[in-house]
Amino acid sequence: MKQLAKTLYSKLLHLFHQVMGITISRNPNSKETNVALDEESLEDSTTQLSKQIPLQDINKSEQNLLLNYQYSSKPRRFKKASLFPDSKTNVAALSLVLYGVAEVLSQKMNLSWNQVNNTFSYEKEAETGKGKIFYYLTDNPETPQPETLAEEAALVVIDQFDPRACAIHLIYCALVASLDKPWSGNFVIDDKQLLEYTGLVKRRDLCKHEKLSILYDLLRQPAQVLACIACPKQGKVGAFSVADLKIWDISIIRDFETDKAGNNKLVGLKVIGQAGVWTKYFLNKSKYHYHTGIITKKTVQKLFSIGKQNAGAARMLVWLTFQIQPEFQDCVMGKTLMEIAYGADKVSTAEQDRQLRRQMADDLETDLKVVKEAGWQAELETGPAWLTSSKSAKRPIGYWNQILNSKWRFHLPVEVQERLTLDSNQLSANNIQPLSGNLIREARKAKGWSRAFFATTMGKSVSWVDAVETGTRQVSQKDLPKLLNTLELHL
């Protein structure tokens, strides 16, 4: 089995060499994953990243001891309901890497999968000429080096994916965004918190064992999506590749009790999670990539509650969460919206199938109502009024083309808009007293940065840094948010 895993890894790395022309070295006798960078690589000690490989084939009691040992560094713990401190919203990592995971969990076989070198993969292009991400699947995410699956086994995993796992994925995204150094920190979350965040605590028709059993299956699914990342040189950022396949490294500890009938009942669980080394590049506040956004508790709970009944609504919610940004102005064509919700193949097939067209039109009407219940507002920019009418009416002749040619504009939930306004007001209020040059200089030195490196990170000159740190120049309102994020200062 170990030899098979090594062979698969070798093939994956060879594929990267062919596609991107970037060398990735991996020593099979070492416990380190080496990430090769070019001469202008990030000026950081993380050009070579490593992960400790735990022992395998141990029994349950030994596994618990090992987990306690591995995470003895006291990972950050979260109080009940603290994931949404205002009871509505929280910041979450919403990078392109994590969007791909959400796509795999929700879109499933609607994506373009390919069988390459005996592995089943979904290839996602970052932006034109700006790198590629290859997603793979595994059925053993708990192991240090999970096996990537070929088509037959991968299809079984894909079929088992549940849209509710997207809600779990968003919870992980929020937890990892709260860590100061996501590439080295851990997050811990227990069943009480998960029951609250997902809304399962309100399900009176399920006993605790049933609720926790549902959670256990869903908690593993985001970790079953693996990825290899390759990005060419972009401006000042050197080319880099991440060959560590894990997006989420998740360990789940379960507690059981035996009832009077002798049956084992699940009475508690705890998740210990760590993000993969991809966060060094896509969730690093002090470097060139920092992709975060805001998620709402209402969206997470709606994703969890609709389950498989409204898969189209789940896909739209995933797309909206990752794609709609503040001041988003672009309209979405009705055809694109239908393809997001139901897949391009199904939309194409409906052209020749009257019954399918009718069913999909009904589904769109229902799913848009579900999306609205989650707080997202859909405004019909161009199209017939009947598309947004609350009254049931017979659809006119040609309704299918009207749906495909319509244009929609989506607005962020009110809770997100309020959060953004509040953060903006707090920043303005706190900025009445300008930042002192000494504070900026000490924060820079605390990170071990030279003035030149800090200037490059800010996109400024060394003379600008000198002027700011000596107090002869104040940081502008335009540059202040970036400076606060870069130096991780909190006013």
Side-chain angles (χ1 to χ4, degrees):
M1 188 66 71
K2 291 181 180 179
Q3 186 59 41
L4 176 59
K6 291 178 182 179
T7 301
L8 289 175
Y9 268 82
S10 176
K11 289 182 178 180
L12 290 175
L13 300 183
H14 179 66
L15 175 62
F16 270 98
H17 182 78
Q18 289 180 323
V19 175
M20 302 302 296
I22 298 174
T23 303
I24 309 173
S25 60
R26 186 180 183 90
N27 182 355
N29 298 319
S30 169
K31 294 181 180 180
E32 293 186 346
T33 299
N34 298 322
V35 183
L37 307 174
D38 69 3
E39 293 180 355
E40 294 185 58
S41 62
L42 301 175
E43 299 178 34
D44 195 284
S45 60
T46 61
T47 54
Q48 290 192 344
L49 303 168
S50 63
K51 272 197 169 183
Q52 182 177 358
I53 300 178
L55 298 175
Q56 301 183 47
D57 300 325
I58 51 181
N59 61 40
K60 183 180 179 183
S61 61
E62 291 172 331
Q63 185 177 23
N64 286 335
L65 289 174
L66 179 59
L67 285 169
N68 291 333
Y69 170 77
Q70 284 183 309
Y71 297 99
S72 60
S73 57
K74 296 182 179 179
R76 180 173 179 180
R77 296 178 182 275
F78 295 84
K79 296 179 181 179
K80 184 178 180 181
S82 64
L83 183 67
F84 301 100
D86 61 355
S87 76
K88 299 177 182 178
T89 62
N90 202 359
V91 174
L94 300 178
S95 71
L96 184 69
V97 176
L98 295 175
Y99 177 41
V101 176
E103 279 188 305
V104 171
L105 293 173
S106 60
Q107 293 285 348
K108 303 172 69 169
M109 286 307 298
N110 285 338
L111 301 175
S112 299
W113 293 89
N114 297 295
Q115 178 79 2
V116 180
N117 290 337
N118 201 37
T119 58
F120 204 51
S121 65
Y122 161 53
E123 178 182 332
K124 188 176 184 66
E125 190 168 5
E127 290 181 34
T128 305
K130 292 188 177 180
K132 293 183 178 180
I133 306 173
F134 298 85
Y135 292 93
Y136 306 90
L137 301 173
T138 185
D139 55 6
N140 58 344
E142 296 84 1
T143 60
Q145 292 185 346
E147 299 174 38
T148 55
L149 301 178
E151 182 173 0
E152 185 176 352
L155 290 175
V156 174
V157 171
I158 291 173
D159 184 61
Q160 294 172 346
F161 280 153
D162 190 311
R164 292 177 294 179
C166 293
I168 300 297
H169 179 56
L170 288 183
I171 291 174
Y172 292 164
C173 292
L175 292 174
V176 75
S178 68
L179 300 175
D180 292 332
K181 294 182 178 180
W183 49 90
S184 61
N186 309 300
F187 57 81
V188 176
I189 185 169
D190 60 33
D191 56 277
K192 292 181 180 179
Q193 297 162 295
L194 288 164
L195 291 173
E196 167 67 23
Y197 302 153
T198 61
L200 264 178
V201 69
K202 301 175 183 178
R203 290 286 301 274
R204 305 300 181 189
D205 57 320
L206 300 174
C207 68
K208 188 171 185 178
H209 169 76
E210 292 170 326
K211 294 176 183 178
L212 296 184
S213 296
I214 291 172
L215 277 177
Y216 176 73
D217 290 335
L218 297 175
L219 288 166
R220 296 179 71 253
Q221 290 186 16
Q224 289 185 262
V225 184
L226 312 174
C228 281
I229 306 166
C231 288
K233 184 177 181 297
Q234 300 176 39
K236 298 176 182 178
V237 184
F240 67 87
S241 302
V242 179
D244 189 319
L245 293 177
K246 286 193 175 184
I247 297 295
W248 299 117
D249 192 350
I250 301 297
S251 298
I252 307 173
I253 303 174
R254 291 177 290 173
D255 294 326
F256 293 88
E257 285 185 0
T258 304
D259 62 15
K260 296 179 180 179
N263 300 314
N264 284 332
K265 295 291 185 180
L266 189 56
V267 296
L269 57 79
K270 180 181 294 184
V271 179
I272 303 173
Q274 183 174 15
V277 295
W278 59 271
T279 54
K280 259 301 183 184
Y281 303 97
F282 292 91
L283 200 60
N284 191 336
K285 299 177 185 178
S286 60
K287 285 290 188 289
Y288 305 96
H289 301 285
Y290 186 52
H291 304 286
T292 61
I294 297 175
I295 63 171
T296 67
K297 185 176 183 179
K298 192 180 291 185
T299 294
V300 170
Q301 293 193 343
K302 180 58 70 174
L303 267 173
F304 202 88
S305 66
I306 59 180
K308 296 180 179 180
Q309 295 106 341
N310 297 99
R315 292 167 185 150
M316 282 193 275
L317 284 174
V318 166
W319 183 84
L320 290 167
T321 300
F322 282 89
Q323 296 296 316
I324 303 300
Q325 303 298 324
E327 307 301 327
F328 181 77
Q329 295 298 322
D330 293 339
C331 289
V332 181
M333 292 296 298
K335 182 178 181 181
T336 301
L337 188 63
M338 295 284 280
E339 289 175 346
I340 291 169
Y342 313 113
D345 289 344
K346 193 171 182 180
V347 173
S348 178
T349 301
E351 295 284 352
Q352 308 299 325
D353 190 327
R354 179 183 299 178
Q355 183 61 36
L356 182 57
R357 288 198 298 271
R358 186 181 297 113
Q359 181 62 53
M360 291 177 67
D362 291 341
D363 289 344
L364 179 64
E365 182 179 346
T366 300
D367 290 339
L368 283 174
K369 290 179 181 178
V370 173
V371 168
K372 184 177 180 180
E373 290 170 0
W376 295 86
Q377 299 299 318
E379 177 185 349
L380 183 62
E381 187 78 7
T382 303
W386 65 266
L387 280 171
T388 55
S389 175
S390 58
K391 300 179 180 179
S392 300
K394 185 177 180 180
R395 299 188 185 100
I397 296 174
Y399 72 88
W400 181 251
N401 286 331
Q402 290 180 351
I403 291 175
L404 298 183
N405 294 323
S406 61
K407 291 183 180 180
W408 300 82
R409 190 186 304 280
F410 288 89
H411 300 281
L412 292 168
V414 174
E415 299 91 338
V416 175
Q417 297 180 35
E418 291 175 349
R419 170 72 179 265
L420 291 171
T421 302
L422 179 62
D423 289 349
S424 177
N425 291 340
Q426 287 179 341
L427 181 59
S428 298
N430 287 325
N431 197 43
I432 294 175
Q433 297 296 327
L435 287 175
S436 70
N438 286 335
L439 177 64
I440 296 172
R441 181 172 56 253
E442 291 304 315
R444 171 180 63 79
K445 288 183 176 180
K447 288 185 170 292
W449 293 349
S450 66
R451 290 176 301 162
F453 181 79
F454 179 42
T456 300
T457 304
M458 285 294 298
K460 300 290 185 180
S461 63
V462 175
S463 61
W464 180 87
V465 174
D466 287 336
V468 166
E469 292 189 349
T470 57
T472 59
R473 178 173 184 166
Q474 296 296 332
V475 181
S476 68
Q477 291 287 329
K478 179 181 178 181
D479 293 330
L480 183 58
K482 183 176 180 180
L483 183 140
L484 293 175
N485 274 333
T486 299
L487 294 177
E488 297 184 273
L489 290 173
H490 302 282
L491 294 179

